[in-house]
Amino acid sequence: MDGRNDMKLAQMEEIGKHIANYRKKAGMTQLELAAKTDLSLQHIGYIENGRRQVTLKTLINITNALEVNLSTFFLGIERADDQVGQLVTKLEYHPKKETYLTIFNAILDASSD
């Protein structure tokens, strides 16, 4: 798979996780969200698991059901991206860069097992 497809999949997963987090904060089940959005329970599950692309119309429908402003919804995702960017910048210029990269890679490899 090329890098663009990997990025798309990661973005779908991130959006899905974000929807699940907001749904849980609202004290709502997937079934309740499905009912409020006229989507199937299976569709909500696929979205939350990053296995289904979300159209803008569907995302607006979901955020309205969760009573979350669309810009607020994306703000959390942008903050996470900013944190990663700041970490990469710090790492790029750190004198022990190679050591830290080796450690981070080992952690990531161990967590994916």
Side-chain angles (χ1 to χ4, degrees):
M1 197 176 291
D2 68 22
R4 287 180 296 181
N5 284 337
D6 288 343
M7 190 168 111
K8 286 179 185 178
L9 290 174
Q11 288 174 342
M12 285 182 356
E13 288 174 8
E14 187 67 29
I15 289 171
K17 287 177 191 175
H18 218 52
I19 290 169
N21 288 336
Y22 270 106
R23 177 183 55 74
K24 290 171 187 173
K25 283 181 189 175
M28 195 180 299
T29 66
Q30 285 183 337
L31 187 59
E32 290 168 327
L33 181 57
K36 283 188 165 198
T37 57
D38 291 326
L39 298 170
S40 71
L41 175 62
Q42 183 179 26
H43 194 123
I44 294 294
Y46 283 159
I47 290 171
E48 288 188 0
N49 290 316
R51 294 174 54 202
R52 182 76 45 113
Q53 289 185 337
V54 183
T55 64
L56 181 58
K57 180 180 176 182
T58 298
L59 186 57
I60 290 170
N61 195 11
I62 290 170
T63 56
N64 285 341
L66 295 172
E67 298 181 8
V68 176
N69 183 292
L70 191 59
S71 60
T72 302
F73 176 83
F74 281 114
L75 188 60
I77 295 172
E78 289 177 27
R79 283 188 183 144
D81 286 345
D82 286 345
Q83 288 174 336
V84 171
Q86 289 171 7
L87 179 62
V88 168
T89 300
K90 283 182 184 179
L91 182 60
E92 186 175 354
Y93 297 104
H94 199 281
K96 295 183 179 180
K97 173 183 174 179
E98 294 305 319
T99 303
Y100 290 140
L101 284 173
T102 302
I103 293 168
F104 289 147
N105 280 323
I107 292 169
L108 291 172
D109 289 344
S111 68
S112 65
D113 290 341

